[in-house]
């Protein structure tokens, strides 16, 4: 084994690095916040100028003999130095070091949306998702301490790094350059390219330096070290396989690159060749920077989308081949049948982030994908994350609300050649309408609070009036009537104008059945209720005479579902079926009707480790525009009007 101990010259070089270094103002956007200007001429060794968190990094680095900048830079890539107050990140990573301890419940309720799946425990058992337990063994601290105490968590990360360095080189070095392989191993990557990409980001952070203020007010910094020169050849010591070259799947109009997401953030598949229909494209926003979204998807136990699109210039990074499942939508069935596209931006500040270049790049990509997979260009098939239903009753309220009320659906659908606008008006009761309020002149008041806006642009709760993509829905035909409260969000109270309260809004392009009319007000069937919106002379609607609508066959309310798995009896012997139950707060009462824009699809399940990977059930389910979100009903429970003859879907 090569001796990696530093020379005397190297020791002198890195001793000099602890002298005060002037840091330039940082404008780097990181996941969850915008970086604050760096503190000028702050030395690592001046405790008087250090926050508690900065001191904890220094103490942990010294205790486990990890170069301080190495530890700080790894933590920066893992969490942007956030502590996830009150628990874990959305993906099961704890503390500044993002030590993972992913449970089956997290897999069920997180981006995988694996509620009801028989393999959820197996999905969560991946060793890469349990670095916290290894850190607990190394430090002698309890797993609880490493979850809840930032200081213990930082020490756990330092102990892991030190253990990797010892395993690889037999000793510890005080030269950061010698830690390249240990840093690469910390990523838990499965191939050389993923490990190297992570280590390169860490060392780039050390080289440039950075600083930011965390959400709990802690200022943390890394002094720039322009002399850092990592021993990149060490990547071979990890004995990881070389990744196969992956071509991007993009139209020729876009600048595309491929950077693989961590394999734990999705599943290998062979869609649609294996029979699994891809019939939705789901749009998201990153709630952080383009770079941080790409970096986050490369961490074990986080989330992934197939594509990420930059705000400034529409550059595209593909992270998951479209044949594979990405964990992006919080509902496994949606993941199974969709492609996910992330947009750099913040939902609460959407219009300032969603640029024309980004809209046009996304439109080119969506048209390419729609043509390739035969995805209809309508708002049941091109949806926002906020339009995805939760997989079960307990998770119905928790699916994300991005890209939010400030994504210009009117303009975007026009770019797709499928405009939601047209000759405005409203037809008779029982006919369908498309919600078409426009955007620029459709100004609504919403309330935004700091916790809704990780960009840092909202210091306190405030009401703002902005161009938006929705109409407010009320319980009666008057402006003073309470807003409708979605049953999952507000079971016993009205809705609100809070920016994340999706339940009281109908978005541009969505289609509903007219339930009533009174003066300037129109009522629609929505989430099992009759709701009203101001619609003088049909200004906010376009008649949809060709829409297909479904309603209950009999007098009993129809059950509504968030998933579409086959019945247990339809699953081959030796495989454990996924389970599903109706969403307890939702039904389609007799007399109501809802729009569907596709024929019913066969129930489907996926078993990646089985010989028969895709199993189709004998029943079909319609996707309906039930409320703000789409939902599923069994074909046998409803009667359809206007279905084109001979259409089928798998």
């Amino acid at each position: 084994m090569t001796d990696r101990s530093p020379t005397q010259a190297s020791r002198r070089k890195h001793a000099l690095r602890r002298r005060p270094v002037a840091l330039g103002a940082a404008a780097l956007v990181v996941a969850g916040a915008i970086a604050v200007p760096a503190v000028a001429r702050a030395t690592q060794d001046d405790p008087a100028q250090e926050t508690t968190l900065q001191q904890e990094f220094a103490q942990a680095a010294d205790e486990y003999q990890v170069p301080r900048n190495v530890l700080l830079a790894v933590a920066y890539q893992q969490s942007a130095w956030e502590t996830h107050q009150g628990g874990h990140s959305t993906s099961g990573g704890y503390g500044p070091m993002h030590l993972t301890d992913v449970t089956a419940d997290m897999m069920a309720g997180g981006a995988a949306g694996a509620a009801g799946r028989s393999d959820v425990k197996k999905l969560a058992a991946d060793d890469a998702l349990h670095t916290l337990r290894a850190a607990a063994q190394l430090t002698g601290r309890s797993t609880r301490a490493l979850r809840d105490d930032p200081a213990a968590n930082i020490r756990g990360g330092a102990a892991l790094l030190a253990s990797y360095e010892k395993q690889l080189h037999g000793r510890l070095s005080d030269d950061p350059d010698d830690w390249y392989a240990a840093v690469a191993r910390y990523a838990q990557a499965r191939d050389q390219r993923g490990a190297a990409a992570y280590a390169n980001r860490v060392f780039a952070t050390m080289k440039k330096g950075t600083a930011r203020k965390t959400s709990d007010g802690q200022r943390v910094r890394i002094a720039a070290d322009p002399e850092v020169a990592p021993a990149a050849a060490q990547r071979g010591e990890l004995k990881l396989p070389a990744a196969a070259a992956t071509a991007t799947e993009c139209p020729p109009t876009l600048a595309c690159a491929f950077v693989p997401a961590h394999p734990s953030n999705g599943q290998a598949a062979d869609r649609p060749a294996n029979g699994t229909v891809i019939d939705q494209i789901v749009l998201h926003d990153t709630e952080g920077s383009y770079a941080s979204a790409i970096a986050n998807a490369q961490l074990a136990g986080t989330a992934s989308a197939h594509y990420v699109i930059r705000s400034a210039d529409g550059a595209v990074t593909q992270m998951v081949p479209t044949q594979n499942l990405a964990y992006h939508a919080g509902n496994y069935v949606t993941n199974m049948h969709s492609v996910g596209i992330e947009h750099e931006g913040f939902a609460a500040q959407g219009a300032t982030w969603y640029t024309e270049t980004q809209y046009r790049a996304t439109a080119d990509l969506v048209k390419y994908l729609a043509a390739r997979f035969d995805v209809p260009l309508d708002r049941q098939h091109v949806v926002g994350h906020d339009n995805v239903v939760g997989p079960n009753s307990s998770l119905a309220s928790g699916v994300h609300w991005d890209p939010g009320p400030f994504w210009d659906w009117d303009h975007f659908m026009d770019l797709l050649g499928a405009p939601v606008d047209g000759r405005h008006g409203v037809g008779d009761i029982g006919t369908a309408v498309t919600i078409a309020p426009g955007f620029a002149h459709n100004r609504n008041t919403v309330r935004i609070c700091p916790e809704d806006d990780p960009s840092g642009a909202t210091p306190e709760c405030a009401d703002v009036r902005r161009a938006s993509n929705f109409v407010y829905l009320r319980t009666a035909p008057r402006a003073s009537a309470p807003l409708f409260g979605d049953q999952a969000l507000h079971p016993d109270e009205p809705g609100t104008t809070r920016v994340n309260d999706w339940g009281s809004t109908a978005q541009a392009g969505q289609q509903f059945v007219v339930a009533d009319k009174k003066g300037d007000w129109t009522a629609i069937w929505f989430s099992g209720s009759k709701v009203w919106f101001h619609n003088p002379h049909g200004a906010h609607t376009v008649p949809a005479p060709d829409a297909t609508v479904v309603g209950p066959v009999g007098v009993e309310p129809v059950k509504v579902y968030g998933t579409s798995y086959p019945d247990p009896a339809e699953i081959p012997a030796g495989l454990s079926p996924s389970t599903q139950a109706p969403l307890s707060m939702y039904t389609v009462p007799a007399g109501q009707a809802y729009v569907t824009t596709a024929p019913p699809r066969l129930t489907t399940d996926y078993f990646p480790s089985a010989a028969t990977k895709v199993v189709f059930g004998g029943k079909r389910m319609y996707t309906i525009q039930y409320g703000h979100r789409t939902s599923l009903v069994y074909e046998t429970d409803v009667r359809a009007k206007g279905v084109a003859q001979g259409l089928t879907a798998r």
Side-chain angles (χ1 to χ4, degrees):
M1 182 175 291
T2 303
D3 184 352
R4 299 289 174 176
S5 60
T7 64
Q8 289 186 346
S10 175
R11 291 179 188 274
R12 288 195 298 271
K13 177 180 71 172
H14 290 287
L16 289 173
R17 291 180 183 174
R18 295 193 177 185
R19 293 179 180 175
V21 178
L23 299 181
L28 178 67
V29 183
V30 296
I34 294 179
V36 297
V39 181
R41 294 196 176 276
T43 172
Q44 277 190 345
D45 293 328
D46 184 358
Q49 296 188 37
E50 292 179 351
T51 62
T52 299
L53 195 60
Q54 184 96 40
Q55 292 173 9
E56 296 293 355
F57 278 112
Q59 292 169 11
D62 292 348
E63 180 178 349
Y64 289 97
Q65 301 178 58
V66 179
R68 292 185 186 182
N69 272 11
V70 169
L71 184 62
L72 280 161
V74 166
Y76 183 77
Q77 291 300 321
Q78 295 293 104
S79 70
W81 301 319
E82 292 290 343
T83 59
H84 307 305
Q85 291 295 326
H88 55 81
S89 70
T90 56
S91 56
Y94 292 85
M97 300 306 299
H98 190 78
L99 298 174
T100 54
D101 197 16
V102 176
T103 66
D105 286 344
M106 292 177 193
M107 294 292 289
R117 293 195 57 79
S118 61
D119 59 354
V120 64
K121 290 184 178 179
K122 182 177 180 180
L123 293 175
D126 189 331
D127 287 343
L129 306 183
H130 298 286
T131 59
L132 186 140
R133 299 179 191 177
Q137 292 179 342
L138 290 167
T139 61
R141 302 288 188 96
S142 68
T143 54
R144 181 175 181 178
L146 268 66
R147 292 188 188 105
D148 298 341
D149 180 4
N153 184 276
I154 292 168
R155 281 163 172 75
L160 268 183
L161 276 169
S163 72
Y164 297 156
E165 180 72 2
K166 288 179 180 177
Q167 291 167 13
L168 289 162
H169 303 140
R171 60 194 305 169
L172 299 176
S173 168
D174 64 0
D175 185 344
D177 295 351
D178 293 328
W179 287 71
Y180 186 90
V183 168
R185 176 169 287 181
Y186 198 94
Q188 311 301 318
R190 305 279 173 77
D191 59 58
Q192 292 179 22
R193 181 170 55 179
Y198 177 83
N200 290 342
R201 288 197 305 271
V202 169
F203 279 87
T205 299
M206 284 191 274
K207 194 176 194 71
K208 294 181 180 179
T210 192
R212 72 177 294 260
K213 185 178 181 180
T214 65
S215 59
D216 61 350
Q218 299 255 20
R219 292 184 181 273
V220 185
R221 63 196 177 280
I222 299 176
D225 184 1
E227 296 182 31
V228 71
Q234 289 183 358
R235 73 186 69 175
E237 298 169 4
L238 299 175
K239 295 180 171 53
L240 293 172
T246 304
T248 58
E249 301 168 274
C250 290
T253 55
L254 301 182
C256 288
F258 191 92
V259 177
H262 195 280
S264 69
N265 300 330
Q267 286 180 313
D270 189 21
R271 309 180 307 167
N274 64 9
T276 303
V277 169
I278 297 174
D279 60 7
Q280 273 195 329
I281 298 170
V282 183
L283 308 187
H284 307 255
D285 77 59
T286 59
E287 294 299 295
S289 72
Y290 179 69
S292 67
I294 294 168
N296 187 66
Q298 292 180 282
L299 300 179
T302 55
S304 68
H306 293 88
Y307 301 90
V308 185
I309 301 183
R310 190 158 56 198
S311 174
D313 58 2
V316 178
T317 294
Q318 185 174 2
M319 303 202 72
V320 179
T322 58
Q323 69 180 21
N324 293 344
L325 277 66
Y327 291 163
H328 64 100
N331 183 315
Y332 189 89
V333 168
T334 301
N335 292 338
M336 188 163 48
H337 294 287
S338 70
V339 173
I341 303 174
E342 287 277 5
H343 297 80
E344 181 182 28
F346 298 86
Q349 303 292 333
T352 62
W353 281 88
Y354 305 146
T355 64
E356 182 63 16
T357 300
Q358 194 178 46
Y359 277 120
R360 290 183 178 275
T362 305
D364 283 356
L365 180 58
V366 169
K367 285 187 289 186
Y368 162 83
L369 293 168
R372 184 175 169 192
F373 299 118
D374 198 23
V375 178
L377 292 175
D378 62 49
R379 288 284 284 111
Q380 280 194 1
H381 296 87
V382 182
V383 302
H385 196 177
D386 55 330
N387 305 135
V388 176
V389 67
N392 65 20
S393 298
S394 65
L395 299 172
S397 65
V399 177
H400 292 188
W401 54 278
D402 57 300
F406 309 130
W407 175 267
D408 189 347
W409 280 111
D410 190 272
H411 178 50
F412 183 69
M413 296 305 291
D414 191 52
L415 290 173
L416 294 183
V420 302
D421 209 354
R423 188 176 181 85
H424 282 252
V426 56
D428 295 334
I429 294 172
T431 63
V433 291
T434 301
I435 304 299
F439 186 78
H441 300 293
N442 181 47
R443 300 180 68 82
N444 282 303
T445 298
V446 298
R447 187 165 184 79
I448 304 177
C449 291
E451 55 267 37
D452 307 322
D453 183 13
S455 75
T458 305
E460 59 185 11
C461 292
D463 290 330
V464 300
R465 188 169 178 80
R466 293 180 181 167
S468 56
N469 61 25
F470 67 89
V471 294
Y472 275 125
L473 304 173
R474 299 190 179 275
T475 55
R478 61 181 185 275
S480 61
L483 290 171
F484 173 71
D486 183 271
Q487 301 91 315
L489 297 175
H490 306 287
D492 300 308
E493 58 189 15
T496 71
T497 60
R498 188 75 172 264
V499 68
N500 61 358
D501 193 346
W502 45 266
S504 59
T505 63
Q507 279 183 338
Q510 294 179 330
Q511 294 183 322
F512 300 96
V513 176
V514 177
D516 204 349
K517 296 188 288 186
K518 187 173 183 180
D520 288 341
W521 291 78
T522 298
I524 54 176
W525 298 122
F526 186 92
S527 195
S529 299
K530 184 166 76 171
V531 300
W532 296 82
F533 61 97
H534 193 234
N535 191 29
H537 308 292
H540 294 153
T541 53
V542 173
D546 297 330
T548 298
V549 301
V550 300
V553 169
V555 297
E556 295 297 319
V558 168
K559 297 174 181 178
V560 175
Y561 294 79
T563 54
S564 56
Y565 293 123
D567 291 344
E570 297 176 311
I571 302 301
L575 299 179
S576 297
S578 301
T579 59
Q580 65 184 18
L583 300 172
S584 59
M585 68 288 293
Y586 300 137
T587 63
V588 176
Q592 294 190 11
Y594 292 84
V595 173
T596 182
T597 61
R601 184 179 65 203
L602 284 175
T603 55
T604 314
D605 207 349
Y606 181 57
F607 300 89
S609 60
T612 302
K613 298 183 183 302
V614 181
V615 175
F616 297 102
K619 298 178 180 178
R620 298 180 186 273
M621 300 185 80
Y622 280 108
T623 296
I624 61 172
Q625 189 65 62
Y626 179 67
H628 186 92
R629 297 181 163 176
T630 59
S631 297
L632 295 143
V633 293
Y634 280 104
E635 177 187 26
T636 53
D637 290 343
V638 296
R639 180 182 294 108
K641 297 180 181 179
V643 177
Q645 296 300 312
L647 289 178
T648 59
R650 295 193 73 181

